[in-house]
Amino acid sequence: MDFKIIHIDETDSTNRWLKENGQEEMVVIADYQTAGKGCGTNAWESEHGKNLTFSILIHPTEIHVNRQFLVSEIVSVALCETLAKYLGTPAPLRIKWPNDIYYGDQKLCGILIENRLQGSTFKDSIIGIGINVNQEVFLSDAPNPVSLRQILGHEVDRETLLNDFLQHLKSAYTNEAIPTTYRSLLYRKDGYNDYEDAKGRFQAKVLNVLDDGRLVLLDTEGKARIYAFKEVSYIINNRNMARFKRILLKLSGESLMGKQGYGIDPERLSDYAKQIKEVSEMGVQIGIVIGGGNIFRGLSGSQKGFDRVKGDQMGMCATVINSLALSSALGAVGVKNKVLTAIRMEPIGEFYTKWKAIEAMEAGYVCIFSAGTGSPYFTTDTGSSLRGIEIEADVMLKGTRVDGVYTADPEKDPTATKFDEITYKEVLARGLKVMDLTAICMCQDNNLPIYVFNMDIVGNLKKVMDGEPIGTLVHN
């Protein structure tokens, strides 16, 4: 296979472009498709210039028409082998029948194959492929997209990725073991999962895919069920995927300074909003308390001559400014949210009550709790403990610039060692600065665990919700 590669800026569909213009074996790549589609009625969301959206024209004349599903097997395996190079081995890549490429339970790549026949042989095959490469935020109703950028934390060169795939495609085309490899990579080939057909929902496991492309499921009663495409649906319930159902996320105001060293760094704010969106889409109910130390800190102000009460009130106002900034950033990525204030200041924010907050979170809103407790002499650490207890959160996630709790300050003591977990008693006995004493005691008395992790690394919030051990758990 020697492909002629054509780059175009925009088209409605690269598959349709090849139908109208393609003759020899060729690849057409578009930076943007206005009507990009997957199989059936599935839509494909792709931000301009961020992903790989392309189509390939081949002439597989040596493949018998009865075995045309082999094209799907070849392309799917070639994509898995290509992406594994970037994700490392073993990568949790699977082929969701017939040919979506999944990373865990999230869709990384989609394929649309259109075969044109002449009698009992192929005239040609047009293979449309969309790979989520560098897109950071997905705004459509698609339930489970993910990109290489989101997984790896850095951008991937799209041209290099395309060339890698074309090389794997050439190799796979002549590999007789492809059908066996395809079946070994099937999504949900182990264990029983939820599916739905015309008669309703049931549980089954993937047993096989026939040579003609039909899926064979084995249900819990031992009955084999055979389906053509679109006759059965996979039930992927993202709401059951998260480690916690309701969280209180504590963010420091200083972290909002990012690289600037003062105020609010728009890039850091955007990173936070995207991480929160990712977790919200898992069905997690989220309450947030954010500090104001990037603008004004009441206690340090009192040490410089400010009245302590006035200084703390200024600090409360600083948290409101940060909350409004975060609210705006969340709105920009399509996350419904409310700012609730501990002091009446409508229309800037709604006055906080526990019941209003819980009702909003259960309706799918992210709630941002500002102005601390509303009283002086209390830190936002204490405010977050109070709000976490009041909203009956499963856990308080303390997002910091350090990846957990250490025996000493790791930024000052290179010999400091990290705890994977630690009890409140030990925190107090060692005098560790996890949170202020009042906040720690409140969490201890009310059995609210704290998970400390580095929020400044993009993707870490999702990893916490997935149960990955990237921080320190503080508990009774």
Side-chain angles (χ1 to χ4, degrees):
M1 291 181 175
D2 293 315
F3 295 108
K4 178 181 179 182
I5 299 178
I6 298 173
H7 291 262
I8 57 177
D9 179 60
E10 183 177 308
T11 185
D12 58 348
S13 163
T14 51
N15 268 29
R16 183 150 67 182
W17 192 97
L18 276 179
K19 285 179 186 176
E20 296 173 355
N21 302 284
Q23 293 180 354
E24 58 188 310
E25 292 189 333
M26 63 193 325
V27 179
V28 59
I29 309 161
D31 275 344
Y32 184 62
Q33 292 191 64
T34 57
K37 296 185 68 178
C39 294
T41 59
N42 295 343
W44 183 264
E45 175 191 359
S46 182
E47 187 177 347
H48 194 294
K50 291 289 187 179
N51 302 318
L52 262 179
T53 51
F54 63 101
S55 294
I56 305 171
L57 174 64
I58 62 173
H59 299 279
T61 53
E62 64 274 30
I63 297 177
H64 193 274
V65 66
N66 292 338
R67 196 59 187 92
Q68 57 185 290
F69 188 72
L70 181 58
V71 176
S72 189
E73 295 171 346
I74 290 169
V75 176
S76 301
V77 172
L79 276 168
C80 283
E81 291 176 344
T82 303
L83 295 168
K85 171 185 172 182
Y86 292 82
L87 297 171
T89 305
L93 288 168
R94 292 292 181 266
I95 301 168
K96 177 176 169 285
W97 174 83
N99 49 30
D100 284 341
I101 308 302
Y102 267 50
Y103 178 86
D105 285 305
Q106 294 181 282
K107 185 175 178 178
L108 182 57
C109 176
I111 304 169
L112 173 62
I113 298 176
E114 298 179 79
N115 295 323
R116 297 190 290 186
L117 309 176
Q118 281 183 333
S120 61
T121 60
F122 274 99
K123 176 185 177 184
D124 56 38
S125 183
I126 296 177
I127 305 158
I129 298 174
I131 306 174
N132 295 328
V133 185
N134 293 322
Q135 187 160 336
E136 296 185 65
V137 177
F138 295 88
L139 299 176
S140 74
D141 293 332
N144 58 344
V146 70
S147 70
L148 288 174
R149 170 68 175 83
Q150 291 176 324
I151 298 167
L152 299 173
H154 61 77
E155 290 199 349
V156 172
D157 185 82
R158 292 181 297 151
E159 187 171 350
T160 302
L161 177 61
L162 175 64
N163 290 331
D164 287 344
F165 167 67
L166 293 178
Q167 290 300 317
H168 278 95
L169 180 62
K170 293 176 185 178
S171 299
Y173 194 75
T174 57
N175 185 348
E176 294 182 357
I178 285 296
T180 301
T181 305
Y182 173 88
R183 285 154 182 78
S184 71
L185 289 170
L186 283 171
Y187 176 66
R188 290 187 172 179
K189 69 183 181 66
D190 299 312
Y192 289 90
N193 290 277
D194 293 325
Y195 297 87
E196 186 170 14
D197 62 13
K199 296 181 180 179
R201 290 198 178 190
F202 62 96
Q203 285 201 321
K205 62 180 178 181
V206 173
L207 188 62
N208 193 15
V209 174
L210 302 178
D211 286 347
D212 61 9
R214 287 181 296 165
L215 176 69
V216 183
L217 298 177
L218 183 68
D219 65 22
T220 51
E221 297 179 356
K223 178 184 176 183
R225 303 182 180 211
I226 301 176
Y227 297 97
F229 185 60
K230 289 296 183 182
E231 291 182 350
V232 66
S233 301
Y234 288 67
I235 304 300
I236 302 173
N237 190 350
N238 285 5
R239 292 182 178 273
N240 294 328
M241 289 163 54
R243 183 180 181 184
F244 307 106
K245 179 183 177 183
R246 181 181 297 161
I247 64 172
L248 190 289
L249 177 61
K250 168 64 170 66
L251 302 173
S252 75
E254 288 93 334
S255 291
L256 283 185
M257 295 188 294
K259 300 173 184 176
Q260 296 184 160
Y262 64 92
I264 300 172
D265 179 359
E267 184 177 345
R268 175 60 54 78
L269 191 67
S270 176
D271 285 343
Y272 279 2
K274 292 169 184 174
Q275 290 195 74
I276 292 164
K277 172 185 171 67
E278 191 174 30
V279 170
S280 177
E281 289 177 338
M282 298 170 72
V284 180
Q285 297 176 17
I286 305 171
I288 301 173
V289 170
I290 188 164
N294 57 320
I295 300 173
F296 188 86
R297 186 179 290 279
L299 183 59
S300 61
S302 68
Q303 295 169 350
K304 297 176 182 177
F306 283 89
D307 173 78
R308 174 64 191 270
V309 173
K310 294 294 185 186
D312 280 355
Q313 289 172 339
M314 292 169 70
M316 293 177 208
C317 291
T319 71
V320 176
I321 292 172
N322 285 339
S323 296
L324 292 173
L326 181 59
S327 172
S328 179
L330 288 170
V333 296
V335 177
K336 298 187 301 181
N337 69 89
K338 291 180 181 288
V339 175
L340 304 176
T341 63
I343 302 169
R344 285 196 178 277
M345 52 180 73
E346 297 93 343
I348 288 175
E350 297 181 35
F351 184 63
Y352 168 84
T353 68
K354 166 182 176 173
W355 314 114
K356 184 185 295 183
I358 291 177
E359 182 179 6
M361 286 188 294
E362 290 181 341
Y365 285 83
V366 171
C367 288
I368 309 169
F369 308 125
S370 64
T373 65
S375 299
Y377 298 99
F378 293 98
T379 67
T380 49
D381 278 350
T382 302
S384 58
S385 299
L386 176 63
R387 295 294 179 249
I389 294 163
E390 284 184 315
I391 67 171
E392 302 171 23
D394 298 322
V395 68
M396 181 198 300
L397 303 182
K398 181 173 169 56
T400 71
R401 62 187 183 190
V402 182
D403 64 344
V405 179
Y406 284 74
T407 53
D409 187 342
E411 295 181 344
K412 298 177 181 178
D413 184 356
T415 66
T417 57
K418 178 185 167 185
F419 297 98
D420 291 328
E421 61 178 289
I422 187 171
T423 65
Y424 285 116
K425 282 187 178 180
E426 193 170 1
V427 166
L428 295 171
R430 288 173 173 262
L432 300 176
K433 305 297 183 183
V434 177
M435 302 180 85
D436 68 65
L437 183 61
T438 304
I440 288 291
C441 291
M442 286 181 66
C443 290
Q444 181 183 32
D445 291 346
N446 291 277
N447 201 29
L448 176 65
I450 303 171
Y451 195 86
V452 183
F453 72 106
N454 188 342
M455 179 73 179
D456 294 349
I457 298 177
V458 175
N460 267 3
L461 182 59
K462 171 71 161 49
K463 288 180 180 179
V464 172
M465 301 310 298
D466 285 340
E468 293 190 32
I470 62 169
T472 300
L473 180 66
V474 187
H475 59 93
N476 280 321

